[in-house]
Amino acid sequence: MDDFQVDVLVVGAGNAAACAALAARETGASVAMLEAAPEDERGGNSTYTAGAMRVVFHGVDDLVQLYDLTEDERRDVDFGSYTADQYLDDMGRVTNYRCDPELTDILIGRSFETMKWMRSKGVRFQPSYGRQAFKVNGKYKFWGGLAVEAWGGGPGLVDLEHKAALKAGIPIHYETAAVSLIEEDGVVRGVIARHKGRKVRIGAKAVVLACGGFESNAEMRTRYLGPTWDLAKVRGTRFNTGAGINMALAIGAKPHGNWSGGHAVGWDMNAPEFGDLDVGDNFQKHSYPLGIMVNANGLRFVDEGADFRNYTYAKYGAVILAQPQQFAWQIFDSKVLDKLRDEYRIKRMTKVRADTIEELAKKLEGVDEQQFLKTIKEWNEAVMTDVPFNPAVKDGRGTKGLAVPKTNWANTIDEGPFEAYAVTCGLTFTFGGLKISTEGEVENTDGHAIPGLFAAGELVGGLFYHNYPGGTGLVSGAVLGKLAGDGAGKYVAGKN
């Protein structure tokens, strides 16, 4: 690769980056994308996701603008609705009302139109039956505000976005990592990149940083998230090392958001250090609301039924990391085994099965056997069996008299066979990042836009604090990606 010049340079090649590139190209600007990874690992964290997308919709008439439905589906499936007010309430509630109000308003208000725009570019969506719907009285009912996912999951999303980019004349340069920004007189004019060990100078009238957070950087994890975070597994790409954040901070960009927080879930205890595309998102284990979790001491440590899974899963990874030896076992009995999510049926997982609870106790590696049996006995006595069980709503079927209560979906664990799954912490992305304006411009520490510099995706700070509503990541990446691409394109047009 030789030095080159382009109107808009997008650093990254995941969902946010692709949306930024496509939006900038629509303005007439010439656009190129840089991808640090080789082609077979392309797309950043987007490739590793299951593809759920949280979007405002008011019923099936909106959903058919995003994906095709049969007449039977339109008639027989309860998709529900998800209003802007519900979205705002969920964002506020799970972030302790710290989410940036302007960015949150943009995320929610533009979610549906952005996804319609993505569909116009060739991106396909589908109903998320396998993860977000339960059959109740013979009819599928969606829950938790999530009824849309990318066709083919994360890999399908990235593949279609890259095809759209190439069709629009946007080249993608693989194994080309941005190293630093080129800044002259306070204006960003390109980047210095490294292509297969050789430095390349790429001039640009505008740069969009969309290359992820710092979750794959053990040193930054420990510095900002705290002790033991160097021991966490990383769910996604090994290439999100915080480079985009650091190169912006180096020229005076303002840090923003929850730098000590991140999206962290229950992840198979023996999963590899970084994500594995052959398994994708299936190392996750998110049916814990249907069972209980115990730590090495044989004790429960969290309310597994505090809320729907998609409002608690992104914070429970950190809770698991804080347990003795950084692991937990999820316990289920035969009453709920048929309701476990798809990821509980893969071959690569840490699982034990037994016909009796005593036999199961002996198989739970690293767990205090006698305390576990005591925990199960106390649990079974505490379940409010007089309240009907319904996994599609917050059913109020909880426990009484336990030090750590369960609020919903409590079932006695007394019918074999029993299954248990070992999990640790899987870090998805970090919440701290750069401050941007409502036009996608990166702001400096004085609160002014840095001319020529825009940002989108997981390296933008301010949206998420402590926790995260499931399915918001890809939508925020798309919305902010289009915002930054539009902003960069207009900026370039104004310079011509």
Side-chain angles (χ1 to χ4, degrees):
M1 177 188 286
D2 297 320
D3 296 353
F4 67 91
Q5 178 80 30
V6 69
D7 288 339
V8 177
L9 181 67
V10 179
V11 180
N15 170 57
C19 288
L22 289 166
R25 188 74 187 95
E26 279 189 338
T27 69
S30 62
V31 183
M33 297 164 67
L34 302 186
E35 169 61 283
E39 188 169 0
D40 61 355
E41 295 182 71
R42 67 183 182 173
N45 273 351
S46 303
T47 305
Y48 292 84
T49 68
M53 303 188 80
R54 181 173 296 273
V55 59
V56 171
F57 69 97
H58 299 94
V60 71
D61 289 340
D62 281 347
L63 292 178
V64 294
Q65 297 180 61
L66 301 179
Y67 51 60
D68 297 326
L69 291 172
T70 66
E71 286 302 317
D72 287 346
E73 286 177 305
R74 294 185 67 155
R75 182 183 65 246
D76 298 335
V77 176
D78 182 0
F79 290 99
S81 62
Y82 192 62
T83 66
D85 286 344
Q86 288 174 305
Y87 208 147
L88 181 61
D89 180 64
D90 285 340
M91 282 291 293
R93 179 169 50 85
V94 303
T95 64
N96 293 333
Y97 298 93
R98 290 181 179 271
C99 53
D100 183 300
E102 290 183 323
L103 288 186
T104 302
D105 186 57
I106 289 170
L107 162 65
I108 295 170
R110 302 187 189 182
S111 61
F112 184 75
E113 291 303 319
T114 298
M115 289 183 64
K116 281 179 60 179
W117 171 79
M118 293 170 73
R119 190 183 191 191
S120 76
K121 298 296 182 183
V123 176
R124 295 174 61 188
F125 304 107
Q126 63 187 17
S128 47
Y129 286 113
R131 297 173 184 272
Q132 290 297 144
F134 285 117
K135 236 177 187 178
V136 179
N137 298 324
K139 184 173 183 176
Y140 276 107
K141 179 178 177 58
F142 280 80
W143 51 273
L146 281 173
V148 184
E149 67 183 21
W151 182 85
L157 174 66
V158 169
D159 184 54
L160 291 173
E161 287 178 332
H162 281 207
K163 285 180 179 177
L166 294 176
K167 182 179 178 181
I170 301 168
I172 304 168
H173 300 280
Y174 296 103
E175 297 180 71
T176 308
V179 176
S180 60
L181 292 164
I182 299 170
E183 181 199 22
E184 297 173 0
D185 300 323
V187 178
V188 171
R189 301 189 186 278
V191 306
I192 302 297
R194 185 177 290 109
H195 176 70
K196 298 182 178 180
R198 178 176 170 269
K199 283 192 174 181
V200 182
R201 183 183 177 93
I202 306 169
K205 296 174 183 176
V207 172
V208 179
L209 298 174
C211 50
F214 58 83
E215 64 274 0
S216 299
N217 186 326
E219 187 272 337
M220 289 185 72
R221 289 202 306 269
T222 309
R223 190 196 320 170
Y224 294 114
L225 305 185
T228 73
W229 278 96
D230 52 331
L231 304 178
K233 308 278 188 182
V234 176
R235 295 177 64 196
T237 178
R238 59 194 172 99
F239 293 94
N240 282 7
T241 59
I245 294 173
N246 286 331
M247 68 178 75
L249 295 180
I251 66 163
K254 182 178 181 178
H256 189 47
N258 184 198
W259 276 74
S260 61
H263 178 304
V265 309
W267 195 245
D268 190 274
M269 186 168 67
N270 291 309
E273 182 180 2
F274 298 104
D276 183 333
L277 287 174
D278 290 336
V279 178
D281 208 34
N282 284 318
F283 284 127
Q284 66 183 348
K285 295 292 175 279
H286 290 167
S287 287
Y288 57 84
L290 299 176
I292 66 171
M293 287 194 284
V294 298
N295 62 19
N297 296 334
L299 298 170
R300 289 179 57 251
F301 55 89
V302 76
D303 181 351
E304 303 90 347
D307 205 335
F308 284 120
R309 183 266 337 165
N310 34 310
Y311 300 120
T312 60
Y313 81 114
K315 66 178 181 178
Y316 280 0
V319 180
I320 294 169
L321 190 71
Q323 300 309 304
Q325 306 306 312
Q326 294 81 48
F327 75 87
W329 283 88
Q330 298 179 357
I331 314 295
F332 307 97
D333 83 350
S334 62
K335 293 191 291 293
V336 298
L337 294 182
D338 65 331
K339 294 179 174 61
L340 299 186
R341 286 158 54 95
D342 295 346
E343 68 258 18
Y344 287 82
R345 299 176 182 91
I346 68 172
K347 292 181 179 179
R348 287 176 60 187
M349 56 187 166
T350 310
K351 170 187 175 182
V352 295
R353 183 181 174 96
D355 291 327
T356 69
I357 200 69
E358 291 77 15
E359 182 186 353
L360 186 77
K362 294 182 184 301
K363 292 183 176 183
L364 299 181
E365 185 177 345
V367 174
D368 183 316
E369 181 181 336
Q370 294 308 310
Q371 179 58 58
F372 170 72
L373 291 173
K374 182 182 178 185
T375 294
I376 293 294
K377 182 176 184 296
E378 293 172 349
W379 166 264
N380 287 337
E381 293 170 352
V383 174
M384 298 162 58
T385 54
D386 55 319
V387 179
F389 171 70
N390 184 347
V393 298
K394 293 182 185 178
D395 61 4
R397 183 181 168 111
T399 59
K400 290 182 178 179
L402 296 180
V404 179
K406 186 173 182 180
T407 307
N408 297 287
W409 312 299
N411 274 309
T412 54
I413 299 175
D414 54 7
E415 293 182 16
F418 304 90
E419 290 183 359
Y421 299 80
V423 293
T424 186
C425 173
L427 180 61
T428 313
F429 67 94
T430 44
F431 290 160
L434 306 175
K435 178 75 168 66
I436 65 168
S437 72
T438 55
E439 300 296 321
E441 308 152 302
V442 176
E443 295 183 359
N444 64 19
T445 52
D446 293 330
H448 301 299
I450 298 175
L453 187 61
F454 300 78
E458 293 171 358
L459 53 61
V460 172
L463 272 175
F464 309 118
Y465 290 76
H466 311 298
N467 195 9
Y468 158 101
T472 317
L474 288 176
V475 177
S476 64
V479 170
L480 297 185
K482 188 174 188 304
L483 179 76
D486 287 339
K490 292 174 184 174
Y491 174 84
V492 168
K495 294 295 180 183
N496 288 339

